[in-house]
Amino acid sequence: EGARNIDPASESLVSPCDGAFGESGLVRDGQAFQLKGRPYGLRELLGSADDAAAFEGGAYATFYLSPRDYHRFHTPCAVQVERASYLPGTLWPVNRIGLEGVDALFAQNERICAFMRASPGDALLCLVAVGATMVGKVRLGFDSLETNRPGAREERRSYPGGIPLAKGAEWGRFEFGSTIVLLAPPGAVELEARAPGTPVRLGERIGRLVLA
């Protein structure tokens, strides 16, 4: 508590974790990039064509947590968590070797997708916690849903009325370093993107919510 300063501006979007910026940009033709020239499909990442369509033309940003980084992840703004999906899969490493060598890695690895209604602005954001080699579990702070379970099947949960979380509140953790992907619908956010590999700290401003 208090170890990181959370940017206080109500419209600011903040980094959800300590780590390094990965690829960022706009979703085009249902695709984002894990590295330059290495795309993956949002339909596969989210396990839903309808969910993928909601982010077409919107912004995405990727954050890599190395083994030495703080392993908990937090909200980028004040939110109401509406639903979450667990998608079983592989556990490829998410370091540069894995990103360069495994096609659509983020859409293959185990992951939890959390859909959150942003405040202010009411945009539906999605944060995807991607599992990796050596990740014992990805765990949520607001639900018992977790990854890396023998014989696990896809699960989808909804939270009627939403689960309110303040900006910078913890919503989950890796039990080893991995990756967070942030998705926003068209026109909802303006990202202040950085070059891949640029260090970033939890609570640091990375953009702003676009208010109508």
Side-chain angles (χ1 to χ4, degrees):
E1 188 71 28
R4 297 290 182 271
N5 293 321
I6 308 300
D7 188 288
S10 63
E11 77 282 2
S12 68
L13 193 74
V14 304
S15 174
C17 58
D18 284 2
F21 242 91
E23 292 294 327
S24 60
L26 297 179
V27 176
R28 299 295 190 198
D29 299 322
Q31 293 185 321
F33 288 85
Q34 61 191 42
L35 281 178
K36 187 175 182 181
R38 302 301 298 269
Y40 61 92
L42 257 62
R43 177 177 182 171
E44 291 73 27
L45 178 74
L46 303 178
S48 165
D50 288 343
D51 285 336
F55 298 105
E56 178 65 31
Y60 73 92
T62 311
F63 306 90
Y64 170 64
L65 293 78
S66 76
R68 69 177 178 271
D69 287 317
Y70 168 66
H71 285 4
R72 296 172 187 261
F73 40 87
H74 297 245
T75 55
C77 58
V79 299
Q80 294 267 349
V81 184
E82 294 189 344
R83 52 194 172 95
S85 303
Y86 164 52
L87 301 171
T90 56
L91 288 172
W92 294 106
V94 297
N95 57 19
R96 191 166 187 89
I97 292 172
L99 296 179
E100 290 177 346
V102 181
D103 288 335
L105 185 155
F106 296 155
Q108 290 195 50
N109 274 13
E110 287 207 300
R111 56 210 178 274
I112 292 179
C113 309
F115 295 84
M116 308 177 178
R117 190 71 61 179
S119 177
D122 205 41
L124 185 64
L125 308 179
C126 181
L127 278 86
V128 183
V130 182
T133 301
M134 298 292 291
V135 177
K137 298 279 187 184
V138 179
R139 298 186 190 269
L140 298 181
F142 55 83
D143 194 311
S144 61
L145 200 62
E146 62 183 34
T147 69
N148 203 2
R149 292 174 286 140
R153 297 183 178 183
E154 181 177 318
E155 287 189 56
R156 297 181 184 272
R157 299 187 180 181
S158 60
Y159 311 104
I163 298 171
L165 295 173
K167 182 196 293 186
E170 180 185 329
W171 66 273
R173 70 182 187 270
F174 295 115
E175 294 188 347
F176 203 66
S178 195
T179 297
I180 295 287
V181 180
L182 167 66
L183 300 168
V189 306
E190 290 180 354
L191 281 177
E192 298 167 4
R194 295 107 187 260
T198 303
V200 68
R201 300 273 271 185
L202 165 66
E204 184 178 336
R205 180 185 170 112
I206 59 167
R208 73 178 188 92
L209 296 165
V210 177
L211 307 180

